[in-house]
Amino acid sequence: MEQEKVVIEVNHICKQYKVLKKGEGIKGALKGLVTRESRLVPAVDDLSFQIKAGEIVGFIGPNGAGKSTTIKMMSGILTPTSGEILINGMDIQKKRKEVVRNIGVIFGQRSQLNWDLRLGESYELLRHIYQIDKAQYEETLDVMDQILGIKELLDKPVRQMSLGQRVKGDLVAAMLHSPDVLFLDEPTIGLDISSKYALRKFVKEINEKRKTTIILTTHDLADIEQLCDRLIIINHGHLMEDGNLSEIVNRIAPYKTLVVEYYDEYAPEHDKCELCFHEENVAKYRFGKKEITAARLIEELSAKAQIKDVSIEEAGIDDIIRVAYGQ
Ligand SMILES: Nc1ncnc2c1ncn2[C@@H]1O[C@H](COP(=O)(O)OP(=O)(O)O)[C@@H](O)[C@H]1O
Ligand SMILES: [Mg+2]
């Protein structure tokens, strides 16, 4: 079955950056220049996971967790210090040229388009670099035009494009050689709402139409909620969580929040849950799904104060982030 095929296999990869030690003041700086003292910064530490064909995986973690480093290793830009990465069964270090044909990568706010050319000319250049067949190129442009409306931009000089237009341009550029796997590192950073929607639509549709496997790094929780069934969470270069989004939520944030609006400002406490917010007439109670039911909680609270309105918030990805990132 297509779903079952493993496209990315990451086996115990580590990456240490070598950085020059800076001494104190000018003397230290000069000494550093002469002796070139360096130290190793561990960025990724024994990371392993597998990704199957057609998955959209949210790859998340706090700043400095090692996400970009991992994406650079998976896309052949950086070499792991140790460990191996297989794409479609091929070792990226040993078969770099072939592997690179199977992958596309986009780093938010860093464009691979040529600033001095029109968008269409920039694509022609890429077509020649990747030796993409003309018919395949035209077909990709047609598909991309349906998703993003790219053809109206082809005559526009890249330097005159808005950020949103340039991101569209970059998404299409990354798809011209029809990669099986697309890495997106913070693609929505700095984008306005409508460009964010365009990006999400793009991700959904290339995944459906072309079965492209997608690994997405983002700080925008809505991106994850709308696109990803699976999450990989890393911190300090280690794997923290790997699994189904709702399964992770249920496991590490197995609670709901009852929001109560009272008729006056008094909000009673309850011993089976935590009063986690109280301002004016509104109080929020966080309760474990196993501790008490919402119905029971409402009944017991309403015996102590008069309730005007209630709603229930499910734990969401922001709760996972709080727990997993240790905030
Ligand atoms: N070129 C580099 N040289 C030295 N250290 C780096 C370099 N790039 C990243 N790092 C360090 O490696 C760690 C992981 O960085 P990165 O992969 O960019 O994290 P993320 O993308 O999750 O924010 C951080 O501590 C960062 O400071
Ligand atoms: Mg990063």
Side-chain angles (χ1 to χ4, degrees), residues 260-327:
V260 183
E261 188 187 343
Y262 291 105
Y263 273 99
D264 58 47
E265 292 195 7
Y266 168 66
E269 302 254 359
H270 190 286
D271 60 357
K272 291 259 168 58
C273 62
E274 179 201 349
L275 178 59
C276 57
F277 173 92
H278 181 201
E279 227 176 87
E280 296 181 354
N281 294 11
V282 177
K284 292 187 179 186
Y285 300 88
R286 184 178 295 153
F287 62 100
K289 292 175 189 173
K290 286 187 187 139
E291 304 300 316
I292 190 167
T293 64
R296 182 82 185 273
L297 186 55
I298 294 168
E299 191 189 316
E300 293 181 9
L301 290 171
S302 66
K304 296 179 191 165
Q306 205 185 354
I307 292 176
K308 190 175 177 187
D309 198 6
V310 293
S311 61
I312 292 171
E313 291 173 355
E314 296 287 330
I317 187 166
D318 46 340
D319 296 292
I320 310 186
I321 301 292
R322 212 175 35 237
V323 177
Y325 293 16
Q327 287 163 359

Side-chain angles (χ1 to χ4, degrees), residues 17-19 41-44 61-70 72 78 185-186 217 219 234:
Y17 289 106
K18 205 173 190 176
V19 290
V41 176
V44 171
N63 281 331
K67 304 179 296 293
S68 295
T69 303
T70 305
K72 284 175 189 160
L78 282 179
D185 192 358
E186 305 276 2
T217 287
H219 278 97
I234 66 167

Side-chain angles (χ1 to χ4, degrees), residues 246-259:
S246 50
E247 185 275 319
I248 296 178
V249 174
N250 279 323
R251 182 161 43 77
I252 66 180
Y255 49 75
K256 297 183 185 196
T257 304
L258 178 72
V259 185

Side-chain angles (χ1 to χ4, degrees), residues 62-82:
N63 281 331
K67 304 179 296 293
S68 295
T69 303
T70 305
I71 288 189
K72 284 175 189 160
M73 290 190 281
M74 290 191 291
S75 50
I77 298 166
L78 282 179
T79 310
T81 312
S82 61

Side-chain angles (χ1 to χ4, degrees), residues 1-40:
M1 268 180 9
E2 190 66 22
Q3 265 311 105
E4 296 303 313
K5 192 182 141 210
V6 173
V7 277
I8 303 175
E9 205 177 325
V10 170
N11 291 326
H12 303 287
I13 53 166
C14 297
K15 179 72 190 180
Q16 291 152 359
Y17 289 106
K18 205 173 190 176
V19 290
L20 290 180
K21 253 188 199 166
K22 273 202 206 110
E24 296 280 309
I26 278 197
K27 223 175 174 180
L30 287 176
K31 189 171 169 245
L33 282 177
V34 179
T35 55
R36 296 251 155 207
E37 274 184 283
S38 63
R39 66 193 171 92
L40 294 174

